[in-house]
């Protein structure tokens, strides 16, 4: 069950005609189900993420899929955060 703040965010987005969080995540899920190789479609470079991961002294080896997965997760986090902040700004008439 959603809490009140999530309900108000969804309602505000629906009333303005802008994408909702539900719509965003459904579209992301359908896109990911159709992609065979994430490496070609990433906005964040996995090689840079791998370098950052290796900065930690405890990390000796990094599997090839790990930076790609982390890059996609970071990309989705940034998009979600941006959408949530946009919806919040619209809700408070701060565009």
């Amino acid at each position: 069950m959603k809490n009140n703040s999530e309900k108000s965010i969804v309602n505000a987005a629906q009333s303005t005609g802008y994408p909702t969080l539900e719509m965003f995540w459904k579209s992301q899920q359908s896109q990911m189900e159709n992609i065979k190789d994430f490496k070609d479609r990433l906005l964040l470079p996995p090689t840079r993420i791998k370098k950052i991961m290796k900065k930690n002294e405890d990390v000796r080896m990094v599997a090839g899929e790990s930076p790609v997965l982390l890059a996609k997760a970071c990309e989705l986090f940034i998009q979600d955060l941006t959408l949530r902040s946009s919806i919040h700004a619209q809700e408070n008439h701060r565009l």
Side-chain angles (χ1 to χ4, degrees):
M1 186 169 166
K2 295 180 182 179
N3 62 26
N4 289 336
S5 64
E6 286 180 3
K7 284 181 184 177
S8 63
I9 288 173
V10 170
N11 290 337
Q14 287 174 344
S15 65
T16 58
Y18 290 99
T20 62
L21 292 172
E22 274 185 49
M23 290 169 44
F24 168 74
W25 284 109
K26 284 181 183 179
S27 70
Q28 291 300 319
Q29 182 179 4
S30 66
Q31 285 177 9
M32 285 189 277
E33 288 172 351
N34 295 328
I35 294 176
K36 301 284 186 223
D37 188 16
F38 283 108
K39 272 188 178 180
D40 300 335
R41 298 179 178 238
L42 292 174
L43 299 175
L44 301 173
T47 53
R48 180 69 54 119
I49 292 174
K50 187 174 183 175
K51 285 181 185 179
I52 293 169
M53 292 170 74
K54 286 189 147 199
K55 291 269 184 189
N56 187 341
E57 294 174 1
D58 296 335
V59 177
R60 292 189 185 108
M61 294 178 67
V62 177
E65 299 86 15
S66 298
V68 174
L69 183 63
L70 190 56
K72 186 62 180 176
C74 290
E75 190 177 309
L76 289 172
F77 172 72
I78 292 167
Q79 290 174 340
D80 180 74
L81 186 61
T82 304
L83 181 60
R84 284 176 187 266
S85 63
S86 173
I87 291 170
H88 184 70
Q90 292 166 11
E91 187 179 69
N92 293 311
H93 307 290
R94 296 189 178 248
L95 285 176

